[in-house]
Amino acid sequence: MDLMLSLSDNSATNALLSYYYLDTINSFLQQNFQNISLNRFLMEKSTKENTCTANSIMNVFQRLLNDNNEVNQIILNPLKHQTVRNKLVAYSNPKFETFNKTGELLHEQHNIARFKSQNEVIDCCVLTNYQNQEDYEGILNMIQNIGKILTQ
């Protein structure tokens, strides 16, 4: 779990998907969260695609993080130590403790984050798709600015 969340290790994710069965996890997700389909292992070439929306991922994220229980703590620690911190949390106000998970594919940059201060919690999810690799820096800058603005 730590490798999957803190290093974005697709092999670790695939090991969990295999152990708990991809179809079982997909059925659970589809029954409990709209607009999520887990149809293949990560980085696997297939005609099937994994799909989600920002709202559906935010629902999963908040459900996992909002309870104060053992599962919550198992998930929060690796998200707090996520190694890829160049998106939403890159220029966030240091008064916020940050928890984030990133995703990247060719022409896609994704990030979800929780910013937590003593009396405030802000959750944000950004999913992007762009056509030209030249757009990468603009997309990255936009995501960074969203995190900066949210935590001003």
Side-chain angles (χ1 to χ4, degrees):
M1 183 75 73
D2 282 353
L3 293 175
M4 181 179 82
L5 296 174
S6 65
L7 299 177
S8 296
D9 185 326
N10 291 325
S11 297
T13 304
N14 285 341
L16 284 172
L17 293 174
S18 180
Y19 184 81
Y20 291 107
Y21 301 107
L22 177 71
D23 291 338
T24 302
I25 294 169
N26 186 43
S27 293
F28 171 82
L29 290 169
Q30 289 186 352
Q31 290 171 11
N32 292 280
F33 303 98
Q34 290 185 342
N35 302 313
I36 295 180
S37 294
L38 193 57
N39 297 308
R40 62 172 173 75
F41 289 96
L42 302 185
M43 309 310 288
E44 177 182 80
K45 292 187 186 269
S46 173
T47 57
K48 299 176 182 179
E49 282 297 329
N50 297 329
T51 60
C52 65
T53 64
N55 283 337
S56 63
I57 291 300
M58 183 63 76
N59 288 336
V60 172
F61 189 72
Q62 289 178 330
R63 186 162 167 191
L64 290 170
L65 299 186
N66 284 347
D67 293 330
N68 189 15
N69 57 37
E70 187 177 339
V71 171
N72 172 277
Q73 295 308 310
I74 290 170
I75 292 169
L76 277 175
N77 191 49
L79 293 178
K80 184 177 181 175
H81 297 99
Q82 165 64 241
T83 58
V84 180
R85 302 184 63 76
N86 67 332
K87 294 180 186 171
L88 285 169
V89 303
Y91 302 113
S92 61
N93 185 324
K95 80 173 188 176
F96 286 91
E97 188 175 22
T98 59
F99 308 87
N100 73 294
K101 176 69 181 85
T102 190
E104 300 167 350
L105 291 170
L106 183 63
H107 303 298
E108 293 182 7
Q109 294 293 319
H110 308 317
N111 201 219
I112 190 165
R114 170 165 284 186
F115 304 93
K116 186 177 179 182
S117 70
Q118 198 167 31
N119 55 5
E120 188 175 13
V121 173
I122 302 168
D123 292 329
C124 181
C125 179
V126 178
L127 307 178
T128 66
N129 180 284
Y130 50 95
Q131 299 307 307
N132 301 308
Q133 194 59 31
E134 298 82 38
D135 296 333
Y136 168 78
E137 285 195 33
I139 294 291
L140 184 61
N141 189 275
M142 177 198 70
I143 295 171
Q144 291 169 341
N145 283 328
I146 289 169
K148 186 176 182 179
I149 291 166
L150 286 174
T151 61
Q152 286 182 340

